[in-house]
């Protein structure tokens, strides 16, 4: 009996130069593949080549009547199929020619698996922005299947799910800024008391976002997404308290500065502390960049700091926006290795920043 897979691809642009490469993948003799392309763009112009494949029933093309977002679009694609396995692919990836063979082999050896996670590579970093994304670890989770035998989650650019163990769980449509992959895949893993098996040979290549332009808006949005999922019941046990980051520290000092209008306090001291926290962040960021990148590149250091702080500011902004002030200073252990991780964990960069900040504050006093 053939193994059947639904390949679900949410898309906004319907780029035929990419999609035709996915639709023409070599398929093992013992596998049946159903391509489900869901266009989240009612005004999209369907390329003739894509339209022809749909007419010939080689793919199932669904065009949303209105833009409903990635989560609902993925869910619609999942509902449109019925195969035992669901392969989630992004619409801008270039798959390895043997992608389906790698997943077929994985299914054959582990038919009861919760699902399989492949590797999503990025091209070689070519400018300050892409190098900063690489050094900051922004693409690390995409490649986690290369370094771990099993995982609780990975970005849904290249993930194969076991339908029988997935339902009734689906992507949360309320998560508009990101984190829907973490939310669903971890919830599914915890409910089934299993992890996803890694398939290092199932490889796709994802392009650098926006051709390698600065990604502070994306990082800010991802931060907002992290703030949304940190209160989810199955995520809470994997969260912990940490030292406030620069955005949080400055926010607290600004609140104190406002309070000082009513309650007598040394306003110049508060202002100097704001400057101290910002300076400590910049110096630590510079040293960290030079150490990780092994180069004295100010553009790389700047992009690393911009992306890091944009993410942290996004978390803070969303927490304030949602009135979750009690969550300021909380973090998610995205490795999900054990429940109730220890708080206030230190690393060399935190130690360096704490010492540098402490010395400057002592001098200010």
């Amino acid at each position: 009996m053939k193994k059947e897979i639904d390949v679900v691809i949410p898309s906004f642009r319907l780029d035929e130069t990419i999609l035709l490469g996915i639709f023409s993948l070599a398929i093992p003799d013992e596998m049946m593949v159903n391509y489900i392309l869901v266009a989240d763009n009612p005004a999209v112009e369907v390329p003739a080549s894509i339209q022809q494949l749909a007419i010939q029933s080689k793919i199932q093309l669904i065009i949303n009547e209105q833009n409903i977002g990635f989560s609902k679009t993925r869910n619609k694609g999942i509902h449109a199929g019925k195969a035992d396995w669901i392969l989630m692919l992004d619409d801008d990836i270039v798959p390895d020619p043997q992608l389906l063979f790698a997943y077929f082999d994985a299914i054959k050896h582990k038919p009861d698996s919760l699902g399989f996670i492949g590797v999503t590579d990025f091209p070689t970093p070519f400018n300050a922005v892409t190098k900063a994304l690489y050094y900051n670890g922004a693409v690390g989770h995409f490649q986690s299947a290369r370094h771990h035998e099993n995982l609780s989650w990975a970005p849904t650019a290249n993930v194969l799910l076991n339908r029988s163990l997935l339902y009734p769980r689906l992507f949360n449509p309320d998560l508009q800024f990101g984190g829907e992959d973490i939310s669903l895949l971890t919830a599914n893993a915890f409910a089934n008391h299993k992890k996803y098996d890694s398939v290092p040979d199932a490889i796709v290549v994802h392009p650098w976002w926006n051709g390698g332009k600065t990604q502070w808006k994306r990082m800010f949005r991802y931060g907002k997404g992290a703030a949304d999922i940190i209160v989810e019941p199955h995520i809470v046990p994997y969260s912990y308290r940490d030292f406030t980051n620069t955005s949080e520290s400055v926010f607290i000092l600004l609140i104190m500065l406002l309070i000082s209008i009513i309650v007598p306090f040394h306003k110049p001291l508060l202002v100097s502390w704001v400057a101290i926290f910002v300076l400590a962040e910049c110096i630590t960021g510079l040293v960290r960049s030079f150490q990780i990148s092994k180069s004295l590149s100010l553009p790389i250091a700047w992009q690393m700091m911009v992306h890091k702080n944009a993410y942290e500011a996004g978390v803070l902004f969303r927490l304030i926006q949602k009135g979750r002030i009690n969550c300021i200073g909380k973090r998610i252990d995205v490795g999900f290795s054990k429940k109730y991780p220890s708080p206030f964990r230190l690393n060399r960069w935190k130690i360096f920043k704490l010492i540098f900040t402490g010395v400057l504050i002592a001098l200010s006093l």
Side-chain angles (χ1 to χ4, degrees):
M1 185 175 179
K2 288 191 174 185
K3 304 294 183 183
E4 189 172 357
I5 290 181
D6 291 328
V7 180
V8 176
I9 308 170
S11 182
F12 185 84
R13 58 209 136 196
L14 295 191
D15 184 345
E16 62 181 329
T17 61
I18 298 295
L19 292 173
L20 292 179
I22 298 174
F23 297 149
S24 61
L25 277 169
I27 302 173
D29 293 335
E30 299 174 67
M31 177 182 281
M32 180 183 297
V33 177
N34 310 307
Y35 287 105
I36 303 170
L37 177 62
V38 189
D40 192 27
N41 179 3
V44 69
E45 292 187 14
V46 181
S49 57
I50 302 294
Q51 189 70 61
Q52 189 63 26
L53 290 174
I55 292 172
Q56 296 171 352
S57 298
K58 292 183 178 179
I59 68 170
Q60 183 177 353
L61 175 62
I62 302 170
I63 301 178
N64 293 341
E65 295 181 357
Q66 60 183 6
N67 185 273
I68 60 176
F70 261 29
S71 288
K72 284 186 177 180
T73 298
R74 287 191 178 104
N75 292 343
K76 182 178 282 191
I78 291 171
H79 281 306
K82 58 181 180 181
D84 293 335
W85 297 90
I86 307 163
L87 177 57
M88 308 298 302
L89 294 179
D90 279 358
D91 70 334
D92 53 358
I93 56 93
V94 177
D96 182 274
Q98 298 298 305
L99 179 71
L100 296 178
F101 285 86
Y103 278 130
F104 175 76
D105 189 60
I107 294 171
K108 188 168 60 175
H109 285 90
K110 294 185 178 181
D112 297 323
S113 175
L114 178 66
F116 301 98
I117 291 176
V119 172
T120 301
D121 281 327
F122 283 74
T124 302
F126 65 93
N127 62 5
V129 171
T130 54
K131 290 177 182 177
L133 290 168
Y134 175 76
Y135 292 134
N136 266 349
V139 300
H141 291 295
F142 288 86
Q143 301 164 349
S144 53
R146 187 171 280 137
H147 310 291
H148 302 277
E149 289 187 8
N150 48 63
L151 297 155
S152 296
W153 76 280
T156 46
N158 180 21
V159 172
L160 181 65
L161 302 175
N162 186 334
R163 187 184 292 270
S164 67
L165 298 179
L166 178 64
Y167 280 164
R169 289 167 291 278
L170 291 169
F171 291 99
N172 184 350
D174 294 330
L175 299 175
Q176 299 291 321
F177 306 108
E180 72 281 354
D181 44 8
I182 301 176
S183 175
L184 172 62
L185 296 186
T186 53
N188 194 44
F190 300 155
N192 286 285
H193 306 288
K194 289 185 175 186
K195 290 187 177 184
Y196 305 92
D197 294 296
S198 297
V199 187
D201 294 333
I203 301 170
V204 303
V205 177
H206 193 293
W208 291 110
W209 298 291
N210 304 111
K213 295 178 182 178
T214 188
Q215 293 298 306
W216 73 266
K217 289 183 179 179
R218 180 180 296 274
M219 294 301 113
F220 187 83
R221 176 165 59 84
Y222 284 172
K224 291 166 68 177
D228 280 341
I229 67 171
I230 199 169
V231 296
E232 293 191 335
H234 70 285
I235 299 288
V236 169
Y238 295 90
S239 65
Y240 62 96
R241 290 283 175 186
D242 200 4
F243 300 99
T244 56
N245 56 42
T246 301
S247 295
E248 294 164 340
S249 298
V250 170
F251 171 72
I252 292 169
L253 289 173
L254 290 176
I255 294 296
M256 292 175 63
L257 196 59
L258 288 174
I259 294 174
S260 70
I261 297 174
I262 303 172
V263 180
F265 199 81
H266 200 296
K267 295 181 181 65
L269 189 63
L270 288 175
V271 173
S272 69
W273 284 3
V274 170
I276 285 171
F277 279 106
V278 172
L279 179 61
E281 174 68 27
C282 292
I283 297 300
T284 304
L286 280 172
V287 175
R288 176 175 175 269
S289 168
F290 297 159
Q291 175 67 27
I292 295 175
S293 67
K294 308 299 181 185
S295 67
L296 300 176
S297 171
L298 289 177
I300 292 176
W302 169 250
Q303 291 296 337
M304 288 179 69
M305 284 189 285
V306 166
H307 293 159
K308 171 184 177 292
N309 285 278
Y311 176 86
E312 293 172 352
V315 174
L316 176 63
F317 176 85
R318 188 62 172 169
L319 291 176
I320 295 171
Q321 189 179 46
K322 300 294 285 186
R324 296 169 181 158
I325 304 300
N326 62 311
C327 288
I328 292 178
K330 291 194 73 175
R331 313 282 183 256
I332 301 172
D333 181 357
V334 292
F336 295 95
S337 54
K338 66 175 183 178
K339 288 186 175 181
Y340 309 109
S342 56
F344 304 105
R345 290 178 286 181
L346 290 169
N347 58 42
R348 56 179 170 172
W349 303 118
K350 287 183 182 178
I351 293 171
F352 178 90
K353 185 177 178 180
L354 283 171
I355 293 174
F356 189 77
T357 303
V359 169
L360 291 180
I361 289 178
L363 290 173
S364 71
L365 293 173

